[in-house]
Amino acid sequence: MAVEKYLSSLKEGIINLDFGTVVNAAKEAMAAGVDPNATINKGMVAGMAVVGDKFEKGEYFLSELVVAAEVMKEGVEVVKPYLKGSSTLGLGKVVMATVEGDHHDLGKNIVTSLLGVQGFQVFDLGIDVPTARIVGAVKEHQPAIVGMSALLTLTMTKMGEVIEALKSASLREKVKIIIGGTSVTTEFADRIGADHRAANALEGVKKCVEWVTSSERRQ
Amino acid sequence: MTEMTRRERILTASRGERADKLPFFHWWRHSQIGWAERECRNRGMGMAWARPSYTVELRDVDVVEQPVVVEGVKVLRRTYNTPMGSIYLDEKREPGTGEWHGMRSWQDVSPWQTERLIKQPEDYEVLKFIVEHTVYTADYFPIEQAKDWLGEDGCVVDIHPHSPMQMLMIDWIGSEGGRFFIHYAKYHDLVEDLYRAISKSREPMYEISARSPADVIWCGDNIDGVLVNPRLFEQYFMPEYEKMAKPIHRQGKLFASHMDGRVDVLKDLIAQTPLDIVEGLHPPPMGDLPIGEALSLWKDKVVWMGFAGSVYTLGPEATKKHTLELLREVLPGDRLTIAMSTENLVSNENLRMVTSVLENVDLPLTGEKIGVIEKSLG
Ligand code: B12
């Protein structure tokens, strides 16, 4: 089979949310010696881009976005052993968390998968993450961006706590901070000193890309 | 006309008729007991109280609870042992859980499940066994008691659990990490089979609750259009609402569902449901469907609105402004009641502010009347 054929069946498999097609096409592509990076980027990521587009246009719902990301995850698992240390993740690191006391993770997960698709390396700390763990992860991974999600008015304040803790650890200046979730407003983001409040996942991811690409340009 | 009682006000508006004043109330389970709550109730705030009309028994299922520590976190593990095998869930409990209203913590948060009953495909048949061995028995005491205690101060509603597909999405499979959607894609037949089993097992419960002494039968469904997308809503929620509505309407009762998320994407489908009351609707900034639009779209329905918690965080002045804006949007104020909160605790200051705006909302409401109210508040 020509390389194009594998790539297009990976792309279509993602768009059609078809676990079997993607896993099989990924296996066949690897057996045929197709470049693993191309398999991910030109096959699966290209499919995810179409899914993201359809989501933005309202043709696909959250469920499709979530399932597409899962299909892609299974496909990437097949390809991973062939990557041999070469990385497709070129846009930099993001530490992502739902803050302490909050168990809402759907929004955060969408952002995490879209960031991954864009080429960020995301360290997703999960839900109900204590402030100290977020600060620890920033120290350890030295990301360009910290993303936080909170849906409860009760837990929103934890985002401010994280920012203060990052300041105390002299880490605040080293990262951009983006926050999101139902209850979070731009006014609140300004009040706690976050750099941006995302209205939705796509807009937030665009902002992250803008940050890292404009800082690359400056360097 | 003599002044209506708080109960009459809520029920009159809920039947789509004009009350003397715009009904507003606090849910008992979110209500602060104290001077501000007493003051606001004396100034017209009603009370809504949700209670069940049945007890549940699991036959041939042995339920064991024990505290365990998972990755350093203390949780309560509940194991269900059945002849088909065992399944378990883990629950994290905040301080106060079980000591306050409706299993809420001091912060008004229910226990969180850190592990769901369904983890793998094999768990479906165990859960199906449990569902098929669930027996509902009428017990009207909790509703009769609450009605007796509350009298004309408010309204008692009979509470149903999440509807069958929502039970799977929110409670049993869970949506963390998109798990429900992934199961729905991967194990479609298992999900649908269990959905049908739950729906079937609920039938006696729907009859019991329709015959309860409550005036309103309320499905606590937590609908959000992002999660329950229009396809799912049409396929699994609308038919179930039809099923619930039949006995309820036969008994002359009102049927409500809790729709507290973003429902703009579902608004045309909601219009087609047999619901009498869309309860918990949150307008922007929490939700995405303005109340005015909802009321003009759903001509045969009543909205029991939930006040947006994010507005409360901005303080009493912002709360006042938001409430006045809301009133301008809903003229002449029919087919609407306002709940102080459907989820959060409300500060005394905010509770008093909303009461100050709403206590004098005579119906039909006009722009001039709102002007007078605004002026009186300074
Ligand atoms: C689903 C849901 C749940 C599920 C969560 C499942 C899960 N795995 O996440 C369950 C049932 C477990 C749940 C529990 C509770 N919930 Co809840 N829940 C919701 C609901 C209906 C939808 C949230 C959702 O997932 N939306 C879909 C996602 C995709 O949207 P999103 O999170 O907003 O994310 C988007 C953007 O905001 C953005 N985004 C989000 N985060 C981030 C972060 C970054 C960095 C970026 C860039 C972007 C971004 O991108 C996403 C995609 O565009 C909302 C209603 C609402 N209006 O939001 C209530 C809601 C958030 N819940 C609420 C409450 C009160 C609770 C409980 C306290 C209730 C209780 N009985 O105990 C518990 C709390 C548990 C806890 N400790 O966290 C309230 C919060 C009210 C308030 N003022 O605080 C809401 C608003 C309901 C309401 N109207 O009252 N809930």
Side-chain angles (χ1 to χ4, degrees):
Chain A
M1 216 196 284
V3 172
E4 287 310 317
K5 200 93 189 271
Y6 295 116
L7 299 183
S8 82
S9 83
L10 283 164
K11 182 175 164 185
E12 291 305 313
I14 299 271
I15 298 171
N16 298 327
L17 318 175
D18 186 341
F19 286 91
T21 301
V22 169
V23 169
N24 287 336
K27 280 183 186 157
E28 284 166 17
M30 290 305 97
V34 180
D35 172 24
N37 279 324
T39 307
I40 293 178
N41 288 324
K42 296 193 179 149
M44 293 185 255
V45 172
M48 267 315 272
V50 177
V51 171
D53 238 33
K54 284 181 179 284
F55 180 66
E56 203 159 11
K57 287 193 204 127
E59 283 170 39
Y60 269 9
F61 300 119
L62 169 72
S63 46
E64 278 95 6
L65 199 60
V66 168
V67 175
E70 186 67 15
V71 175
M72 169 154 162
K73 208 160 111 193
E74 293 200 0
V76 170
E77 280 309 309
V78 175
V79 180
K80 247 188 193 161
Y82 299 86
L83 279 168
K84 293 194 206 100
S86 70
S87 170
T88 55
L89 307 166
L91 279 187
K93 297 179 190 169
V94 181
V95 162
M96 191 78 171
T98 295
V99 294
E100 187 169 13
D102 207 312
H103 272 212
H104 294 86
D105 71 349
L106 289 162
K108 170 190 69 65
N109 292 346
I110 295 173
V111 178
T112 300
S113 27
L114 291 180
L115 285 170
V117 167
Q118 283 293 334
F120 285 96
Q121 185 179 11
V122 189
F123 298 91
D124 184 352
L125 307 182
I127 53 177
D128 190 15
V129 185
T131 300
R133 250 192 82 206
I134 300 180
V135 176
V138 173
K139 265 190 204 140
E140 186 187 338
H141 303 301
Q142 303 181 353
I145 299 167
V146 175
M148 288 185 278
S149 185
L151 267 78
L152 303 173
T153 42
L154 203 69
T155 55
M156 269 160 65
T157 49
K158 288 282 170 189
M159 297 173 156
E161 195 182 289
V162 172
I163 294 177
E164 288 310 311
L166 287 171
K167 277 187 195 155
S168 310
S170 309
L171 292 167
R172 175 64 187 95
E173 298 309 317
K174 300 198 166 78
V175 292
K176 287 279 190 191
I177 294 180
I178 185 164
I179 63 174
T182 314
S183 309
V184 178
T185 56
T186 308
E187 190 192 13
F188 176 77
D190 291 344
R191 202 185 325 149
I192 63 168
D195 295 304
H196 185 68
R197 172 255 171 185
N200 57 55
L202 293 166
E203 183 267 321
V205 171
K206 269 187 202 141
K207 189 71 183 176
C208 293
V209 173
E210 194 185 301
W211 279 336
V212 294
T213 48
S214 65
S215 66
E216 268 167 15
R217 257 183 260 126
R218 260 186 269 124
Q219 279 163 8
Chain B
M1 185 165 72
T2 54
E3 196 171 318
M4 287 183 173
T5 65
R6 292 152 184 75
R7 175 172 178 273
E8 284 168 343
R9 232 168 246 155
I10 297 171
L11 290 178
T12 303
S14 300
R15 283 191 293 265
E17 294 156 18
R18 177 164 290 159
D20 60 343
K21 289 181 175 186
L22 181 73
F24 64 106
F25 63 86
H26 215 353
W27 281 99
W28 175 81
R29 71 175 184 192
H30 304 293
S31 169
Q32 58 263 58
I33 306 300
W35 63 268
E37 166 261 354
R38 175 154 57 95
E39 180 194 307
C40 294
R41 289 179 65 192
N42 287 339
R43 289 163 64 188
M45 181 177 81
M47 184 66 69
W49 202 340
R51 288 200 152 187
S53 55
Y54 56 86
T55 55
V56 184
E57 187 195 342
L58 304 182
R59 300 233 165 113
D60 296 324
V61 182
D62 179 37
V63 185
V64 183
E65 281 189 358
Q66 77 186 125
V68 294
V69 177
V70 180
E71 289 168 16
V73 179
K74 260 202 249 161
V75 295
L76 188 74
R77 176 160 299 176
R78 191 176 308 130
T79 307
Y80 296 76
N81 299 307
T82 80
M84 309 292 288
S86 300
I87 49 179
Y88 73 89
L89 60 80
D90 285 346
E91 217 173 69
K92 189 174 161 187
R93 297 182 162 199
E94 290 190 333
T97 306
E99 295 175 60
W100 199 46
H101 306 342
M103 287 303 280
R104 301 261 165 161
S105 71
W106 300 134
Q107 299 276 17
D108 205 15
V109 174
S110 315
W112 319 334
Q113 287 184 25
T114 50
E115 284 285 353
R116 302 280 175 182
L117 279 178
I118 291 188
K119 302 171 195 61
Q120 52 197 10
E122 300 77 65
D123 297 335
Y124 281 87
E125 65 170 0
V126 182
L127 192 44
K128 189 175 171 194
F129 178 93
I130 297 172
V131 165
E132 286 173 341
H133 290 76
T134 300
V135 180
Y136 298 95
T137 308
D139 180 4
Y140 297 141
F141 173 73
I143 293 177
E144 279 161 358
Q145 183 196 52
K147 277 189 91 164
D148 182 35
W149 282 349
L150 208 49
E152 288 301 309
D153 272 19
C155 179
V156 180
V157 307
D158 179 354
I159 181 169
H160 279 194
H162 288 137
S163 66
M165 197 48 100
Q166 193 71 324
M167 205 71 208
L168 293 175
M169 187 186 280
I170 293 192
D171 304 286
W172 289 345
I173 301 174
S175 51
E176 297 80 10
R179 200 165 46 239
F180 170 82
F181 297 128
I182 295 164
H183 276 229
Y184 185 75
K186 273 188 160 173
Y187 317 122
H188 191 80
D189 293 346
L190 290 176
V191 173
E192 282 212 325
D193 186 47
L194 187 51
Y195 160 80
R196 278 190 295 269
I198 306 168
S199 175
K200 176 106 193 61
S201 84
R202 293 274 179 87
E203 284 166 10
M205 187 265 268
Y206 295 162
E207 280 294 335
I208 290 171
S209 107
R211 290 171 197 277
S212 86
D215 301 297
V216 178
I217 315 297
W218 177 59
C219 177
D221 225 10
N222 288 96
I223 299 294
D224 177 89
V226 183
L227 288 167
V228 180
N229 65 43
R231 276 196 281 278
L232 292 171
F233 191 73
E234 198 167 4
Q235 202 172 343
Y236 304 106
F237 291 73
M238 289 171 70
E240 197 66 22
Y241 287 162
E242 291 287 348
K243 198 161 147 181
M244 290 181 209
K246 278 195 188 101
I248 295 173
H249 287 156
R250 234 185 285 128
Q251 297 297 327
K253 305 276 172 67
L254 296 169
F255 178 30
S257 175
H258 187 61
M259 301 193 159
D260 65 334
R262 281 153 288 186
V263 295
D264 184 70
V265 68
L266 300 175
K267 62 188 173 194
D268 295 327
L269 293 175
I270 293 171
Q272 298 166 36
T273 62
L275 287 169
D276 304 296
I277 300 167
V278 177
E279 188 280 327
L281 188 75
H282 280 65
M286 295 292 276
D288 59 0
L289 180 62
I291 296 293
E293 190 185 337
L295 287 170
S296 62
L297 199 70
W298 305 331
K299 292 266 189 267
D300 65 341
K301 301 196 193 313
V302 172
V303 172
W304 286 19
M305 189 202 107
F307 203 96
S310 57
V311 173
Y312 284 145
T313 64
L314 305 174
E317 266 311 302
T319 297
K320 176 174 92 181
K321 199 164 151 258
H322 182 77
T323 316
L324 288 164
E325 276 164 14
L326 260 173
L327 292 180
R328 290 201 173 89
E329 202 185 305
V330 301
L331 300 180
D334 296 328
R335 294 187 290 118
L336 177 69
T337 73
I338 299 180
M340 293 302 195
S341 161
T342 72
E343 278 304 347
N344 309 109
L345 302 178
V346 186
S347 72
N348 284 347
E349 293 71 29
N350 284 328
L351 194 78
R352 293 177 80 216
M353 181 53 88
V354 178
T355 300
S356 300
V357 181
L358 297 183
E359 66 185 330
N360 295 317
V361 178
D362 298 326
L363 300 181
L365 184 60
T366 60
E368 294 81 68
K369 285 185 190 169
I370 299 174
V372 173
I373 293 170
E374 187 166 16
K375 236 189 195 151
S376 75
L377 296 171

